[in-house]
């Protein structure tokens, strides 16, 4: 109810809005959802800085109000294949944004990372689009932004982004975002992401994430299909409980700065995510031989040195190498000499924790 548009006070014929929104990497994973994009368990992620989607949304009043009307372009090229996901998104959010059928939309989107990198663009893409729509709502409602309003609209953007893609609700702000109700985290909600509200030790500030592109191909299984396989999964209930426990443990770890304990949770979460995929029916393996080579190299390097480098995985073969800022140079050297050989065409992306989406100024307006 809180997110239903209250009143439109201004008539606007046309306009253009642009937002840049980042990707994020989950430490405790979201895997399994109920109806209406409600997660089965809470998750927490680092917001990224360099991996972003930039979306420019142009809107103009149209004559007939019977259906949604939009075109979507990726890097300047019309993308018919993106339309069904966006149409579903519009249908889900129409009740909160009743003006959607009043306008024709031109959605122009581009990513700072290569589209065929195997990096999911749904988190950054859906959050950027949700933010553009919220900006239109603010224009129509003629709001001037106070701190209270800013927090309301960030929440609404996260709420809408979730209805586009679950993990997208963790991309509006930074640097650590929780999504999903957790008993020990005040303000946490299944409906939107919130900033992690407690103390975070200096060790976890500016954490680095180098993404090793092991396989840039299309995934064999979409995340939506994967989430649904948790419905009749033999280990589902125990896994959902474990996510709650891991998040509870992380609260203490963030406070004390215990990076060794952090590594245990983060790597276990990554492997558990893949274990869930391997034990669903149908079962599948998204890791590639090089994913395992990299994991073994990271473990050997950690044994040999005192490094705090670790890995996490998404629902794919690429490896996110996480490490504290004070190890930046030395770990990058390790990556270049020992890990890049396992990347497709030697490609990797250096990123770090970021602080959330930003509205871009449109010239000529
Ligand atoms: C493995 O957010 O892509 O990255 O809600 O169906 O769009 P939908 O799923 P999506 O799932 C991401 C799952 C994950 C783990 C995570 O980011 O928490």
């Amino acid at each position: 109810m809180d997110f239903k548009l209250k009143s439109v006070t201004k008539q606007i014929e046309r306009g253009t809005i642009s937002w840049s929104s980042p990707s994020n990497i989950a430490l405790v994973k979201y895997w399994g959802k109920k109806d209406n994009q409600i997660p089965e368990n809470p998750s927490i992620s680092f917001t990224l800085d360099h991996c972003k989607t930039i979306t420019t949304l142009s809107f103009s009043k149209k004559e007939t109000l019977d259906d949604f009307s939009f075109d979507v372009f990726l890097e300047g090229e019309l993308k018919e294949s993106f339309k069904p996901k966006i149409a579903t998104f519009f249908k889900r959010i129409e009740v909160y944004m009743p003006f959607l059928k009043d306008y024709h939309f031109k959605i122009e989107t581009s990513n700072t990372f290569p589209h065929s990198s195997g990096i999911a663009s749904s988190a950054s893409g859906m959050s950027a689009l949700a933010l553009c729509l919220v900006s239109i709502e603010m224009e129509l409602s003629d709001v001037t932004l106070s701190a209270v309003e800013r927090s309301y609209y960030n929440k609404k953007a996260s709420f809408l982004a979730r209805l586009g893609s679950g993990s997208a609700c963790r991309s509006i702000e930074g640097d650590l975002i929780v999504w999903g109700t957790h008993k020990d985290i005040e303000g946490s909600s299944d409906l939107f992401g919130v900033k992690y509200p407690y103390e975070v030790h200096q060790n976890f500030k500016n954490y680095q994430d180098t993404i090793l592109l092991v396989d840039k191909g299309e995934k064999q299984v979409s995340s939506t299909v994967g989430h649904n396989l948790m419905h009749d999964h033999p280990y589902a209930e125990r896994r959902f409980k474990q996510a709650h426990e891991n998040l509870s443990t992380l609260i203490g770890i963030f406070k004390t700065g215990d990076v060794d304990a952090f590594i245990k949770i983060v790597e276990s979460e990554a492997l558990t995510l893949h274990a869930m995929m391997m034990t669903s029916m149908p079962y599948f393996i998204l890791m590639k031989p090089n994913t395992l080579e990299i994991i073994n190299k990271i473990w050997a390097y950690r044994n040999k040195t005192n490094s705090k480098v670790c890995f996490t995985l998404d629902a794919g073969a690429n490896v996110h190498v996480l490490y504290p800022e004070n190890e930046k140079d030395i770990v990058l050297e390790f990556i270049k000499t020992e890990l890049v050989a396992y990347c497709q065409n030697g490609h990797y992306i250096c990123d770090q924790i970021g602080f959330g989406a930003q509205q871009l100024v449109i010239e000529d307006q």
Side-chain angles (χ1 to χ4, degrees):
M1 289 302 287
D2 282 352
F3 293 124
K4 286 202 174 153
L5 176 61
K6 287 175 191 92
S7 65
V8 167
T9 52
K10 226 168 122 185
Q11 291 297 320
I12 300 175
E13 279 302 310
R14 61 184 60 248
T16 305
I17 305 274
S18 190
W19 276 87
S20 143
S21 190
S23 186
N24 66 71
I25 180 68
L27 305 170
V28 172
K29 308 290 181 182
Y30 148 57
W31 198 245
K33 62 179 165 183
K34 304 177 201 166
D35 285 347
N36 302 319
Q37 296 284 101
I38 299 297
E40 287 279 13
N41 64 259
S43 56
I44 188 165
S45 53
F46 279 149
T47 303
L48 295 182
D49 195 26
H50 303 148
C51 289
K52 292 185 286 213
T53 296
I54 293 136
T55 296
T56 301
L57 185 64
S58 310
F59 54 103
S60 50
K61 267 264 161 74
K62 65 181 170 67
E63 298 289 308
T64 53
L65 306 180
D66 50 339
D67 209 353
F68 303 118
S69 168
F70 63 92
D71 292 311
V72 49
F73 297 82
L74 173 69
E75 327 279 356
E77 272 185 36
L78 199 61
K79 269 287 193 193
E80 288 300 324
S81 61
F82 282 17
K83 282 188 118 177
K85 193 155 184 182
I86 294 172
T88 305
F89 177 51
F90 278 7
K91 250 180 249 146
R92 284 185 189 153
I93 66 169
E94 190 190 4
V95 54
Y96 309 102
M97 306 225 120
F99 57 85
L100 282 181
K101 283 187 179 149
D102 298 352
Y103 293 99
H104 171 75
F105 295 99
K106 183 180 182 195
I107 306 164
E108 292 170 283
T109 178
S110 61
N111 297 323
T112 57
F113 47 89
H115 183 60
S116 59
S117 58
I119 297 184
S121 56
S122 67
S124 51
M126 283 298 175
S127 52
L129 183 55
L131 283 156
C132 288
L133 292 170
V134 165
S135 290
I136 297 177
E137 172 179 325
M138 288 168 67
E139 282 192 19
L140 291 170
S141 320
D142 213 7
V143 287
T144 39
L145 217 54
S146 65
V148 175
E149 306 245 86
R150 185 178 295 278
S151 137
Y152 169 80
Y153 283 108
N154 271 344
K155 247 185 211 173
K156 178 156 181 178
S158 175
F159 173 87
L160 297 173
R162 184 196 99 240
L163 294 170
S165 176
S167 56
C169 78
R170 299 188 311 237
S171 277
I172 307 293
E173 296 179 278
D175 45 353
L176 254 182
I177 303 292
V178 179
W179 168 43
T181 309
H182 186 280
K183 68 174 179 33
D184 299 332
I185 301 181
E186 221 181 304
S188 59
S189 168
D190 283 346
L191 301 180
F192 44 78
V194 295
K195 273 168 169 278
Y196 176 72
Y198 305 126
E199 196 182 332
V200 178
H201 193 278
Q202 198 55 34
N203 289 351
F204 298 110
K205 302 282 174 183
N206 297 327
Y207 230 70
Q208 305 291 305
D209 179 4
T210 300
I211 309 163
L212 305 181
L213 305 178
V214 170
D215 184 49
K216 306 188 202 170
E218 284 280 310
K219 282 192 269 181
Q220 310 159 29
V221 197
S222 76
S223 340
T224 303
V225 172
H227 286 292
N228 285 336
L229 290 175
M230 289 303 279
H231 283 143
D232 292 314
H233 195 290
Y235 308 129
E237 286 315 312
R238 189 60 190 87
R239 156 61 197 155
F240 302 146
K241 195 162 170 268
Q242 179 197 41
H244 282 267
E245 292 159 3
N246 282 345
L247 204 39
S248 294
T249 313
L250 273 179
I251 296 173
I253 292 173
F254 284 137
K255 191 162 183 237
T256 57
D258 185 345
V259 185
D260 292 320
F262 172 82
I263 291 173
K264 280 191 191 140
I265 301 261
V266 169
E267 292 190 343
S268 162
E269 276 286 324
L271 295 178
T272 302
L273 169 70
H274 283 256
M276 289 299 111
M277 301 179 200
M278 288 189 232
T279 48
S280 61
M281 193 56 83
Y283 42 82
F284 48 96
I285 301 181
L286 294 188
M287 285 189 273
K288 297 281 181 201
N290 282 351
T291 311
L292 290 177
E293 294 284 2
I294 290 167
I295 291 173
N296 281 316
K297 286 272 176 191
I298 290 174
W299 284 344
Y301 180 76
R302 241 192 4 244
N303 273 340
K304 201 172 67 193
T305 65
N306 248 340
S307 174
K308 306 293 181 203
V309 65
C310 73
F311 71 87
T312 188
L313 306 165
D314 262 344
N318 295 335
V319 182
H320 287 250
V321 184
L322 300 177
Y323 46 103
E325 192 185 25
N326 64 4
E327 290 190 25
K328 194 170 165 175
D329 295 339
I330 189 152
V331 172
L332 205 54
E333 195 50 42
F334 158 63
I335 290 171
K336 283 185 193 154
T337 52
E338 294 201 44
L339 302 185
V340 166
Y342 301 106
C343 298
Q344 204 174 342
N345 306 118
H347 286 167
Y348 63 96
I349 297 173
C350 289
D351 210 336
Q352 60 184 15
I353 293 188
F355 296 91
Q358 279 177 326
Q359 184 162 10
L360 305 175
V361 178
I362 307 246
E363 284 161 27
D364 301 319
Q365 265 217 322

